[in-house]
Amino acid sequence: MKKIKLNTFLLELLILTITIVNTSAQTNRYCAPLDDKLFLSATFGELRTDHFHLGIDFKTGGETGKNIYCINDGFVSRIRVSTGGYGNALFVQHPDGYTSVYGHLQEYKGTIADFVKNYQYSKETHTFEIFLKPNDLQVKKGQVIALSGNSGYSFGPHLHFEMRITSTQDPLNVMQFGYDIKDNVAPKLLNLAIYPMNDTSLVMSSCKKVILALEKIGNKYQIQNKEPLVVYGQVGIGIEAYDYLSETNNRCGVYSIEMLRDSNRVFYFELNRVPYSESRYVNSFIDYEDKMINQRYIQKIFIDPNNQLSIYKDVFNNGILAFANNVNDTVLLKIKDTYGNESYLDFELFGKKHNLINPCPFDSLAINVKWNKNFTLTLEGMNLTIPSGALYKDADLIFRSETPCVGCLSPVYAIHNKNVPLHRSYQMSIKTNFELKPELRNKLFIAAISPENTMMSYGGNYKRNVITGKFLQFGKFSVGIDTVSPIVIPLGIYEGKNLSKENRLRFRIKDELSGIAAYNGYIDNQWVLFEYDLKENLLSYRFDAKVSKDKMHNLDLFVSDDRDNLTVYHMKFFY
């Protein structure tokens, strides 16, 4: 077994090396997935909410319906249709050990389109995921396999494109595959952050992080504030930096950051390959609190205890810098993009034991929760378990019970706040102190309570007067109930309307609490393919061969929410 694992590792390492080095060969091997001149709106490794962006986004001129080409011979290995995520997505496995991925598609083309529609009708479902065999759907280099779109969690027409190692499905930096993408613009540096790393550390007489604005002078950056940077003890460094490409104004992610102390490398990372299993570690890669409060992405040039990203190299003492009294050193940061454009920042830190100007805030109710130990807590009517590995580092957390809000069926439980990130979900159970009719028990849900006291359902399971759920974010929670069915609004159609000159039926569907969970439409008692656009709350059916022409038809539409509240809409129409 050990020999097999070693050979697999060496093969993947060889593939990755070829990817990085031999870009000219890559250019000849693959064609572009689009006809247009290639412009990017997002790069590999760009920082997103709870994940790295593990592909590149090709611009499509603000339009949908552009031809998408298969970049090389292969076969369709996977098809996924979802209302979120990549929306309509296609995975093509190539014989060279790579898989190409195409996301947010408007529609599939040719034999792929026929396969998808036949499968949806055979299973009577809009959304699905299927893995295929080599002889099921073979494709050729340059073949039109789809049209570009805006499906799923896409907020503007574009093509999301990935290259993965087939054996592991680890995404690779597509920008190193030799595509003709112009970039002679160096990363832009905005702010430097310096962090005290423990209770005895200080930064400029403060026990809190210090943020310093940067300015560009020539081809280098410097700190605007000329005050000496006096530190003591262990400190960490962070940088707010973004990359821009030629002929576009989109803010993208940087490729690598290197930190040198007194000319010695003490920290380095580069974004060549990021397994999907590691993507959520982005919450530890950045200053999560600053992102939540100020909407900035400050990248930490040090590593939290539970940050398991494999992108780091040549890291000394987890990137943490120690400064004793009268120890002064120059720190140099080098920030690069994928194409080698580089920006620099150097500054001097002066180690000096100095006094704290203002006392650090301390809450006697805070409980120190260890990142590597299970933690359980009981408040009146509520039990909570945070598993080992859920936190990225030890944290002082505050838990309290508050009075119910309007519509709340339990006290409001404040589980610290949203500014502390989580890698794994924790479990919370809330007791209901009232009797419910059996038919209403499955209508209960645990709700996140916003600062405006509005509810957002997080679901949950009810059993013996207790509702239990799992959560990936701290905040305020209570119990709510949803007995209201979804709203179905016809768009441009009405009872008995002649639709012989139309090509589709459209409805707006909404649910205010637990959210749309299922939708099915039947014409003349036969299931037809209604597709749901989650962003637009739009449910539509495009007329196909399932509906005969020149006759009156009966439509029955069934829409239910996550708490099984059902709306049935019936109408007659002529087509």
Side-chain angles (χ1 to χ4, degrees):
M1 290 296 291
K2 290 183 178 179
K3 185 176 181 181
I4 293 173
K5 289 182 179 179
L6 179 61
N7 289 342
T8 301
F9 171 77
L10 291 174
L11 175 61
E12 292 174 4
L13 183 62
L14 177 62
I15 291 172
L16 183 58
T17 303
I18 293 172
T19 300
I20 296 170
V21 177
N22 194 11
T23 55
S24 61
Q26 303 285 359
T27 305
N28 295 329
R29 186 187 307 171
Y30 304 117
C31 70
L34 286 163
D35 276 327
D36 299 340
K37 187 176 180 180
L38 301 179
F39 293 106
L40 299 186
S41 59
T43 55
F44 182 86
E46 192 171 306
L47 308 174
R48 300 288 177 86
T49 301
D50 295 329
H51 68 283
F52 289 95
H53 184 248
L54 297 182
I56 59 176
D57 288 347
F58 286 112
K59 292 187 174 187
T60 56
E63 300 176 358
T64 61
K66 299 287 185 73
N67 283 341
I68 302 299
Y69 299 96
C70 187
I71 63 165
N72 199 8
D73 294 352
F75 71 93
V76 177
S77 59
R78 182 179 173 192
I79 302 173
R80 183 169 63 198
V81 175
S82 63
T83 57
Y86 293 169
N88 299 326
L90 197 61
F91 301 70
V92 177
Q93 184 172 322
H94 306 288
D96 56 6
Y98 296 110
T99 295
S100 55
V101 182
Y102 313 77
H104 305 305
L105 305 172
Q106 176 176 279
E107 61 182 82
Y108 305 99
K109 298 298 288 183
T111 55
I112 302 172
D114 294 338
F115 177 90
V116 168
K117 193 165 189 178
N118 289 335
Y119 186 87
Q120 289 171 317
Y121 269 100
S122 68
K123 301 297 183 180
E124 295 190 355
T125 181
H126 166 217
T127 61
F128 71 93
E129 182 173 28
I130 187 172
F131 294 83
L132 303 176
K133 297 177 182 179
N135 292 325
D136 290 338
L137 281 174
Q138 295 187 351
V139 288
K140 292 292 184 181
K141 179 179 180 179
Q143 177 181 332
V144 177
I145 53 177
L147 299 181
S148 67
N150 188 33
S151 59
Y153 284 133
S154 166
F155 298 94
H158 71 279
L159 170 66
H160 175 85
F161 180 71
E162 297 179 17
M163 289 295 285
R164 300 183 182 183
I165 296 176
T166 298
S167 60
T168 62
Q169 288 298 294
D170 290 351
L172 298 172
N173 190 341
V174 184
M175 299 165 72
Q176 295 179 330
F177 274 73
Y179 286 111
D180 185 18
I181 299 166
K182 289 187 177 180
D183 182 15
N184 55 16
V185 181
K188 183 177 181 180
L189 314 186
L190 299 183
N191 288 290
L192 175 74
I194 309 177
Y195 300 82
M197 297 304 294
N198 55 40
D199 294 340
T200 61
S201 302
L202 292 175
V203 176
M204 300 176 73
S205 301
S206 173
C207 59
K208 297 182 179 180
K209 65 187 173 191
V210 173
I211 307 293
L212 301 163
L214 304 176
E215 60 184 357
K216 188 176 183 182
I217 305 296
N219 63 349
K220 295 178 63 176
Y221 285 80
Q222 67 180 25
I223 299 169
Q224 291 183 14
N225 184 354
K226 305 305 180 184
E227 182 181 353
L229 302 181
V230 180
V231 300
Y232 183 76
Q234 294 190 333
V235 298
I237 304 299
I239 188 77
E240 184 186 10
Y242 305 100
D243 188 39
Y244 296 82
L245 290 87
S246 301
E247 302 181 48
T248 69
N249 57 4
N250 296 84
R251 190 177 76 178
C252 299
V254 302
Y255 167 70
S256 70
I257 295 179
E258 181 181 16
M259 180 168 68
L260 295 90
R261 177 179 182 174
D262 194 24
S263 301
N264 296 310
R265 179 191 273 189
V266 294
F267 181 95
Y268 180 69
F269 80 79
E270 59 186 18
L271 289 164
N272 289 318
R273 170 182 181 177
V274 181
Y276 265 97
S277 60
E278 297 181 7
S279 188
R280 191 173 177 84
Y281 285 114
V282 71
N283 292 332
S284 178
F285 180 80
I286 65 170
D287 182 337
Y288 188 86
E289 178 185 53
D290 193 81
K291 183 252 182 182
M292 296 298 288
I293 296 174
N294 300 311
Q295 302 304 308
R296 291 184 296 209
Y297 282 99
I298 295 177
Q299 300 176 56
K300 295 190 293 191
I301 312 179
F302 58 91
I303 305 174
D304 290 332
N306 192 30
N307 180 348
Q308 304 298 321
L309 276 169
S310 58
I311 63 174
Y312 300 111
K313 308 176 189 299
D314 298 338
V315 176
F316 176 75
N317 194 33
N318 286 328
I320 298 170
L321 307 177
F323 281 84
N325 199 33
N326 297 320
V327 173
N328 308 329
D329 268 329
T330 297
V331 176
L332 172 63
L333 301 182
K334 299 180 180 180
I335 294 89
K336 291 184 181 181
D337 62 26
T338 301
Y339 299 107
N341 302 299
E342 188 169 14
S343 295
Y344 304 88
L345 168 69
D346 58 19
F347 52 93
E348 191 167 4
L349 294 178
F350 299 90
K352 182 179 180 182
K353 196 167 185 177
H354 55 297
N355 296 322
L356 180 66
I357 293 179
N358 296 309
C360 292
F362 173 76
D363 195 319
S364 60
L365 298 177
I367 301 173
N368 186 257
V369 179
K370 304 295 183 182
W371 72 267
N372 58 350
K373 292 184 178 179
N374 293 329
F375 172 81
T376 59
L377 175 78
T378 298
L379 294 177
E380 185 177 356
M382 187 275 288
N383 293 301
L384 173 138
T385 300
I386 301 175
S388 173
L391 297 170
Y392 295 104
K393 61 181 180 179
D394 296 350
D396 293 327
L397 305 181
I398 299 172
F399 309 89
R400 64 181 182 273
S401 174
E402 301 177 353
T403 57
C405 61
V406 175
C408 293
L409 301 181
S410 77
V412 172
Y413 297 100
I415 314 301
H416 199 65
N417 60 55
K418 294 182 178 181
N419 299 334
V420 172
L422 288 159
H423 192 74
R424 297 176 58 193
S425 60
Y426 65 95
Q427 180 172 291
M428 179 167 52
S429 298
I430 301 177
K431 187 177 181 180
T432 57
N433 297 317
F434 48 85
E435 291 296 327
L436 274 178
K437 296 179 180 179
E439 63 268 22
L440 293 179
R441 291 172 184 170
N442 69 337
K443 308 298 183 185
L444 294 177
F445 60 88
I446 297 181
I449 309 300
S450 74
E452 297 77 29
N453 284 331
T454 59
M455 287 186 169
M456 175 180 291
S457 173
Y458 272 64
N461 299 312
Y462 178 89
K463 186 178 182 180
R464 297 176 182 173
N465 295 329
V466 173
I467 184 166
T468 301
K470 291 188 175 183
F471 309 89
L472 272 169
Q473 193 173 56
F474 292 139
K476 293 185 176 182
F477 300 90
S478 187
V479 174
I481 190 168
D482 183 3
T483 59
V484 180
S485 299
I487 299 170
V488 176
I489 303 171
L491 299 178
I493 54 177
Y494 49 82
E495 179 69 19
K497 184 177 181 180
N498 186 339
L499 300 176
S500 56
K501 295 183 179 181
E502 305 289 336
N503 63 359
R504 61 184 177 177
L505 299 170
R506 298 195 308 154
F507 295 85
R508 192 81 65 195
I509 60 174
K510 297 181 181 180
D511 189 79
E512 298 299 329
L513 284 176
S514 58
I516 302 296
Y519 45 91
N520 282 288
Y522 297 83
I523 294 179
D524 302 330
N525 296 318
Q526 182 180 24
W527 187 89
V528 293
L529 178 59
F530 271 90
E531 299 178 283
Y532 180 38
D533 184 336
L534 179 62
K535 298 189 300 291
E536 302 294 333
N537 295 316
L538 185 65
L539 189 65
S540 61
Y541 162 68
R542 190 174 296 274
F543 288 120
D544 55 25
K546 300 294 181 182
V547 180
S548 57
K549 292 186 176 182
D550 299 325
K551 61 177 292 188
M552 190 67 73
H553 298 279
N554 289 296
L555 168 68
D556 294 292
L557 190 60
F558 299 84
V559 181
S560 59
D561 62 22
D562 187 60
R563 300 290 94 173
D564 293 329
N565 298 298
L566 176 66
T567 295
V568 180
Y569 182 90
H570 175 79
M571 67 170 287
K572 292 180 181 291
F573 66 91
F574 185 86
Y575 175 74

